[in-house]
Amino acid sequence: MPVWKTVPSVDDGVKLLSLPDSRFKTKRAAVSFYVPLHAKSAAAMAILPYLLSHSCRDYPNVTLLNERLASLYGAKLFGSVERLGESQVLTISLFAIGDEYTPDHEPLSRECMSLLRSLLFDPVLEDGCFPASSIEQEKRCLTELIEAEQNDKRTYARNRCEQIMCESEGYGVNKYGTVQTVAALTPTDVTAAWKHLLKTARVCLSFLGMESDGTLEEAFQAYGRTQPVSCRTQVIEKAETVKEVTDRLPVNQAKLVMGFRTGTAEPDPAVMATRMMVALLGGTAHSKFFLNVREKLHLCYYCSARFDRHKGIMLVESGIERENFEKAKAEILRQIEAVQAGDFTDEELSATVMSIQNSFRTVSDRVTGIATWYENQYFDDTLVTPEESADAAGKVTREEVVAAAKRLTLDTIYLLTGEEDGQ
């Protein structure tokens, strides 16, 4: 059973997560930084995992770094940016075969950790700053990520609903920043963000299938960290008013996104019942939204629900014809009312339980799946295994699902429709 370990002589903001698992030939070492998600700092922070994973002083360009990775039997290096509650999670991951699979049992894991240390703590600097050419290249790539989200209208609509719903909360900030804030970044800005990250971020050192040799822990000990930043997520239990916003863009299919406050978030024990309720509504192929709003009444092309257990928000996403807006909205609310009244069969509940349990149990089938599962519990006091979550799902009662549905309050109705629609 994996457990959190606080790295000694640093602070309580650096944790070590050891995940012993002999099933995979590919092992993983990763460093994740957790910082508050703020509009002013999001872009500068978001660029860092990509910038840092492309070079260091020992391997000052992508070509030399790739040659080094090739010498490590084809090791792979990735940078990523995610959101966890109202925290921005910046990760650099290195995948490599286990030491036991190298021809002479070479200490490959030690070489990987040494490379990670160099990437994080010894990057290429010119006059104390990241090179302007490197910054401009990463700015272009980050801008493309933001524009890709804007071009995918389903993602765009979801992001807009979250932005409107959480306008004064960190959750409403895009994890990549905006095109404008990215464009304004300078080498000085990014270098200051890097130093701030190493000194104050909350850190997870995660090792799957390999043991830490202390290289990364020693690097953080030597850096002179200060008190880690607070990464609290604001949870609003109930919506007092309903916001309605319509945007018009050149789209053929309208997007309806409805945001709800669920009244529960981690570490509330009612979170599992809320997960079950959300899945019953719109998380499976036999959910109420899918079978009724889409299949029976043909009011949409898709209709699904998702729950953020850290923020306590449920989003219902649907692709519709503009003329079906009112009908689709009404039917979605009617299906929620049905669950609030307990109008669902034991067979529906049982199928939902099995679906959720299966999703938990298949988490461990992939290296990234099992690693992400535990890293997403960074702010939890204890670690819960996928199997324990599957068992907990099986104990949720009908009454708990109904109670979870009754706690829902509608916060935001967002519609993305075509420019030619006159309403």
Side-chain angles (χ1 to χ4, degrees):
M1 171 69 182
V3 293
W4 288 118
K5 297 179 182 179
T6 300
V7 176
S9 304
V10 186
D11 54 52
D12 62 357
V14 179
K15 292 182 178 181
L16 187 148
L17 178 62
S18 179
L19 302 168
D21 198 321
S22 59
R23 294 174 304 151
F24 305 107
K25 292 183 178 180
T26 298
K27 315 301 181 180
R28 177 182 181 268
V31 182
S32 295
F33 298 90
Y34 300 74
V35 293
L37 192 49
H38 293 310
K40 290 184 179 180
S41 61
M45 289 297 179
I47 204 170
L48 287 173
Y50 306 111
L51 178 67
L52 295 172
S53 61
H54 286 160
S55 67
C56 61
R57 192 159 59 90
D58 290 336
Y59 309 101
N61 57 55
V62 173
T63 299
L64 291 174
L65 181 58
N66 284 338
E67 288 177 356
R68 176 55 177 155
L69 292 171
S71 74
L72 297 174
Y73 297 95
K76 301 294 183 183
L77 193 62
F78 298 96
S80 65
V81 180
E82 299 297 339
R83 179 183 64 187
L84 185 67
E86 290 180 343
S87 294
Q88 197 177 14
V89 186
L90 318 170
T91 302
I92 296 180
S93 307
L94 203 158
F95 297 82
I97 61 172
D99 295 353
E100 63 272 29
Y101 298 109
T102 60
D104 299 313
H105 297 281
E106 301 169 49
L108 199 59
S109 58
R110 182 169 41 183
E111 297 294 327
C112 289
M113 293 180 201
S114 178
L115 178 57
L116 277 174
R117 177 175 182 161
S118 296
L119 292 167
L120 291 170
F121 292 92
D122 195 17
V124 176
L125 299 177
E126 294 177 354
D127 298 324
C129 289
F130 288 106
S133 58
S134 299
I135 297 295
E136 289 304 314
Q137 179 178 338
E138 298 303 334
K139 284 168 62 174
R140 287 193 294 271
C141 294
L142 191 57
T143 299
E144 288 174 1
L145 287 175
I146 298 170
E147 291 175 342
E149 286 192 338
Q150 294 173 341
N151 292 332
D152 180 343
K153 293 304 184 267
R154 182 169 179 172
T155 302
Y156 175 86
R158 181 196 315 137
N159 289 347
R160 278 287 288 141
C161 184
E162 291 173 345
Q163 180 186 22
I164 296 160
M165 186 175 181
C166 306
E167 184 178 9
S168 59
E169 305 160 51
Y171 199 82
V173 177
N174 190 295
K175 64 184 179 183
Y176 298 128
T178 66
V179 170
Q180 292 75 21
T181 54
V182 170
L185 289 176
T186 67
T188 301
D189 296 332
V190 178
T191 306
W194 166 63
K195 293 179 179 179
H196 185 70
L197 188 75
L198 292 180
K199 189 173 286 288
T200 68
R202 294 187 175 272
V203 182
C204 173
L205 308 178
S206 175
F207 306 102
L208 190 149
M210 63 174 70
E211 291 296 328
S212 170
D213 67 348
T215 296
L216 291 168
E217 296 95 304
E218 292 170 1
F220 280 100
Q221 289 170 348
Y223 195 77
R225 283 172 52 83
T226 60
Q227 185 67 24
V229 292
S230 173
C231 290
R232 300 187 59 169
T233 294
Q234 180 184 6
V235 177
I236 297 176
E237 294 190 356
K238 184 178 181 180
E240 300 299 334
T241 59
V242 179
K243 299 182 281 289
E244 295 193 47
V245 174
T246 298
D247 284 343
R248 292 180 174 82
L249 291 173
V251 295
N252 295 322
Q253 182 189 108
K255 311 294 182 185
L256 167 62
V257 186
M258 300 171 69
F260 296 80
R261 305 283 180 175
T262 67
T264 184
E266 293 290 1
D268 191 325
V271 161
M272 186 57 75
T274 303
R275 294 173 90 157
M276 193 73 63
M277 177 269 297
V278 174
L280 178 66
L281 282 170
T284 70
H286 50 262
S287 66
K288 285 193 167 291
F289 291 159
F290 183 84
L291 293 180
N292 293 284
V293 186
R294 181 184 187 277
E295 294 294 287
K296 183 179 178 180
L297 298 175
H298 307 294
L299 292 175
C300 62
Y301 298 99
Y302 62 86
C303 190
S304 62
R306 63 173 66 204
F307 172 52
D308 188 317
R309 65 185 179 89
H310 294 97
K311 181 62 177 172
I313 282 176
M314 179 181 82
L315 293 184
V316 179
E317 303 176 55
S318 184
I320 62 173
E321 294 294 334
R322 175 62 178 87
E323 58 268 23
N324 287 332
F325 167 62
E326 292 294 342
K327 291 180 180 178
K329 179 179 68 173
E331 186 60 28
I332 288 169
L333 294 174
R334 198 184 77 77
Q335 294 302 323
I336 292 174
E337 290 170 357
V339 176
Q340 290 172 334
D343 183 13
F344 53 91
T345 66
D346 291 340
E347 289 74 18
E348 287 177 300
L349 182 58
S350 177
T352 302
V353 169
M354 287 190 290
S355 178
I356 286 185
Q357 288 180 321
N358 184 63
S359 68
F360 287 149
R361 288 169 177 149
T362 56
V363 160
S364 302
D365 292 345
R366 297 177 298 111
V367 170
T368 51
I370 192 67
T372 302
W373 172 271
Y374 288 108
E375 289 164 5
N376 282 350
Q377 298 180 55
Y378 181 91
F379 297 109
D380 300 345
D381 294 329
T382 59
L383 290 171
V384 178
T385 67
E387 191 60 41
E388 287 172 336
S389 290
D391 291 342
K395 296 175 182 176
V396 173
T397 65
R398 165 183 286 272
E399 291 73 23
E400 289 173 328
V401 172
V402 170
K406 288 181 177 179
R407 285 192 293 268
L408 288 175
T409 53
L410 178 60
D411 184 292
T412 301
I413 301 171
Y414 173 75
L415 177 66
L416 174 64
T417 189
E419 294 175 319
E420 72 283 356
D421 295 324
Q423 297 185 25

